Amino acid sequence: MISPSEIERNELGYRLEEVRGKHLRLVKRANPISDWSVFMVHGGGGRAGQFKHLIKVLEPNMTIVAVDFLGHGDSPAPNRPELYTADEHLSDLTVIYNSHRRLHNVFISHCYGAIHTLRLLDTLKQEQRLTEVAGVILLDVGIRALSLGMLSSLPAFLLEYLRPLARSFSNAAIFPPTTDPALIEFENTITSNNRMYMMKVLAQDCGNQELWGRGLACGKAAMEGIPGALLCGEEDGLFSVQSCREMAQYLGVASERFHVVKGAGHLPMLDHPEEVIRIVSEFLSSLQGAQQNTS
């Protein structure tokens, strides 16, 4: 029987690109006749394949770039914890963006990936390049850092032993009771490849309120003048709707651009893809319409 990872490779391809001396799996759908690029940035423990429904819908109209950060998805996972920090991910994302950007660029970023994106926007602001960014869509990210005590405090070898227990907690937080069991099994099979020496570093950074706060402060200043949207799952067990709403307000996202996806959990682009596609497509259409009116 074909594995979930093989299914996604067949759907999205398998290509490694050298980034800062690392080899990262990159999903790229180049559109030579479009001057728009969409960068899809996954969260901690996620992967590019979690955006697969959006990729299929958007690729006929614009270039799509989605990465598996080191240790995630189909990228290698060396046992070097220092390579999984927030600063490392930001540096990798910066290189990928600079290598694949087009005239108009949009970010669709999930959870922890949103923090990397906001920090990248700050870098572009300092370089006076924010005009390159046409819009930002954030998914399931709240105003406060996560509390992931067990993952961040225990040694990695013990976390591997306790993986089944950690899995039960994460499933309860990520997937609402109405989620298709086949989707849960599919996701669990792929993410079981996430090494705990990586997850421990991610948990420490995701639970670092100072780091989280710096990312938000960077994003708040950089987002001024950039159209933004924020989507969250109604039943997300990691970030409440209220926390996501406060995040949207803090970043200056217009109230009509804050969307609660009913019945969805922490991965609305997987458990309610049609609604997420509708919201994202409408937002991108508004950006392209605004650009045409100013050109």
Side-chain angles (χ1 to χ4, degrees):
M1 176 181 289
I2 188 170
S3 71
S5 293
E6 291 172 313
I7 291 173
E8 284 197 348
R9 290 183 199 123
N10 290 339
E11 290 178 333
L12 302 174
Y14 178 74
R15 170 175 175 257
L16 294 179
E17 180 167 313
E18 186 171 349
V19 178
R20 302 177 58 244
K22 308 167 185 174
H23 289 88
L24 303 182
R25 189 273 187 100
L26 198 73
V27 176
K28 183 176 181 182
R29 295 289 188 269
N31 189 315
I33 63 173
S34 173
D35 54 8
W36 287 75
S37 276
V38 175
F39 293 85
M40 299 182 177
V41 188
H42 68 73
R47 65 191 187 284
Q50 291 174 328
F51 295 105
K52 57 191 172 187
H53 300 298
L54 281 168
I55 292 172
K56 293 174 184 176
V57 170
L58 299 180
E59 65 177 325
N61 302 311
M62 54 196 66
T63 290
I64 306 296
V65 181
V67 65
D68 285 347
F69 284 119
L70 195 71
H72 295 74
D74 271 329
S75 289
N79 190 355
R80 294 180 57 190
E82 72 275 10
L83 295 180
Y84 302 110
T85 64
D87 288 343
E88 281 290 315
H89 286 154
L90 173 61
S91 296
D92 293 342
L93 179 60
T94 301
V95 170
I96 291 167
Y97 171 75
N98 285 329
S99 298
H100 300 282
R101 72 185 188 275
R102 304 296 292 273
L103 182 62
H104 309 293
N105 302 283
V106 178
F107 289 93
I108 302 179
S109 306
H110 179 248
C111 191
Y112 189 36
I115 302 301
H116 305 324
T117 299
L118 294 175
R119 295 180 68 197
L120 174 56
L121 293 180
D122 180 61
T123 299
L124 296 177
K125 182 176 185 291
Q126 294 177 35
E127 296 174 354
Q128 299 183 339
R129 295 171 52 199
L130 275 180
T131 53
E132 299 174 4
V133 181
V136 177
I137 303 172
L138 306 180
L139 290 84
D140 290 84
V141 59
I143 195 72
R144 283 170 289 278
L146 292 169
S147 178
L148 302 169
M150 183 176 73
L151 272 178
S152 61
S153 60
L154 295 177
F157 76 88
L158 186 55
L159 289 173
E160 290 290 357
Y161 178 76
L162 295 174
R163 183 183 287 270
L165 179 62
R167 173 71 68 196
S168 66
F169 281 109
S170 65
N171 279 353
I174 292 172
F175 302 108
T178 54
T179 304
D180 183 352
L183 172 60
I184 298 175
E185 182 179 0
F186 189 96
E187 285 297 298
N188 285 348
T189 300
I190 293 183
T191 57
S192 64
N193 294 320
N194 291 343
R195 298 299 92 198
M196 284 303 186
Y197 51 73
M198 175 190 75
M199 295 304 297
K200 177 179 173 68
V201 177
L202 298 182
Q204 289 171 336
D205 282 351
C206 285
N208 185 331
Q209 187 60 54
E210 180 182 358
L211 174 66
W212 203 266
R214 285 203 311 269
L216 267 59
C218 290
K220 180 178 175 64
M223 285 280 288
E224 293 179 4
I226 297 178
L230 197 152
L231 289 67
C232 68
E234 181 185 34
E235 299 184 48
D236 187 342
L238 294 177
F239 292 107
S240 68
V241 171
Q242 181 59 31
S243 182
C244 292
R245 179 178 286 109
E246 290 177 21
M247 176 69 142
Q249 293 170 345
Y250 179 80
L251 294 176
V253 173
S255 58
E256 65 269 19
R257 293 299 188 190
F258 175 70
H259 304 274
V260 179
V261 182
K262 293 188 181 300
H266 187 62
L267 298 169
M269 63 283 204
L270 287 177
D271 54 20
H272 282 66
E274 297 85 0
E275 179 65 5
V276 173
I277 287 169
R278 182 190 67 79
I279 294 169
V280 169
S281 297
E282 288 179 359
F283 181 74
L284 292 176
S285 294
S286 72
L287 296 181
Q288 292 176 313
Q291 188 61 42
Q292 290 174 354
N293 291 335
T294 58
S295 60

